[in-house]
Amino acid sequence: FETRADDSGKLYISGYFAVFNSEYELWPGAVETVAETAFDEALSADIRCLIDHETRLVLGRNKAGTLTLKTDSRGLWGEVEVNQKDQDAMNLYERVKRGDVDQCSFGFDILDEEFVDRGDSVKWIIKKVKLYEVSVVTFPAYEETSVSARKKQLGEEKKRSLEAWKQRTLKKLKGEEGWH
């Protein structure tokens, strides 16, 4: 993230809230990536820019014209106009300017994804999201609930995979399907 001031004295914080095709480790052996299609239909929603996902600390909002979001080949880029009368916003602006805070996150629901079992590891590719908010954060980590949800999902994927293997094997044993 970076800060800037324009000729009229307005202050801005800008940077990438998500980077495409970059692996985010959920836990050892499990990663998640964001596909270039993830935000294709998401940016017309009413989206806020927050500080550390705190709903009471709103930096900007696209419907108010104080938050701009767009995608490019690298990821989801955003710029928020800092309210200079808001002390929380000014404090964050100064922290970003000094380099004390330089990371981000986003709040979303997954609408479409792909699961890839790579043998010794697993990967989820997020293909489409419903975006609620973007945040400038001190620690950009997945919430424990997200990790728990992914672990449960992995268990279900493994169970489905095993069941599909059993069904194919039974068909082959019964002569209903050829051995490949």
Side-chain angles (χ1 to χ4, degrees), residues 29-122:
V31 296
E32 190 170 72
T33 65
V34 178
E36 291 180 11
T37 59
F39 301 103
D40 285 354
E41 299 171 26
L43 301 185
S44 61
D46 189 8
I47 302 163
R48 278 90 166 158
C49 181
L50 307 176
I51 301 172
D52 284 322
H53 299 291
E54 286 288 336
T55 56
R56 64 181 180 77
L57 298 175
V58 178
L59 287 172
R61 184 176 178 182
N62 64 342
K63 295 290 182 185
T66 54
L67 171 64
T68 302
L69 294 170
K70 66 180 181 180
T71 58
D72 60 22
S73 61
R74 183 172 178 204
L76 174 63
W77 179 88
E79 181 171 73
V80 62
E81 180 185 332
V82 176
N83 178 354
Q84 296 181 46
K85 294 181 180 180
D86 179 339
Q87 195 57 52
D88 293 318
M90 287 305 297
N91 288 342
L92 179 65
Y93 178 85
E94 291 300 325
R95 289 180 183 116
V96 171
K97 187 175 175 181
R98 278 180 24 144
D100 296 335
V101 175
D102 64 356
Q103 295 172 308
C104 62
S105 185
F106 55 101
F108 62 101
D109 284 332
I110 297 170
L111 300 177
D112 185 26
E113 66 183 347
E114 178 183 343
F115 174 76
V116 180
D117 187 341
R118 303 190 288 193
D120 62 342
S121 65
V122 295

Side-chain angles (χ1 to χ4, degrees), residues 13-31:
I13 297 172
S14 62
Y16 283 89
F17 289 100
V19 177
F20 296 139
N21 304 313
S22 179
E23 292 189 350
Y24 301 93
E25 185 179 54
L26 297 167
W27 66 85
V31 296

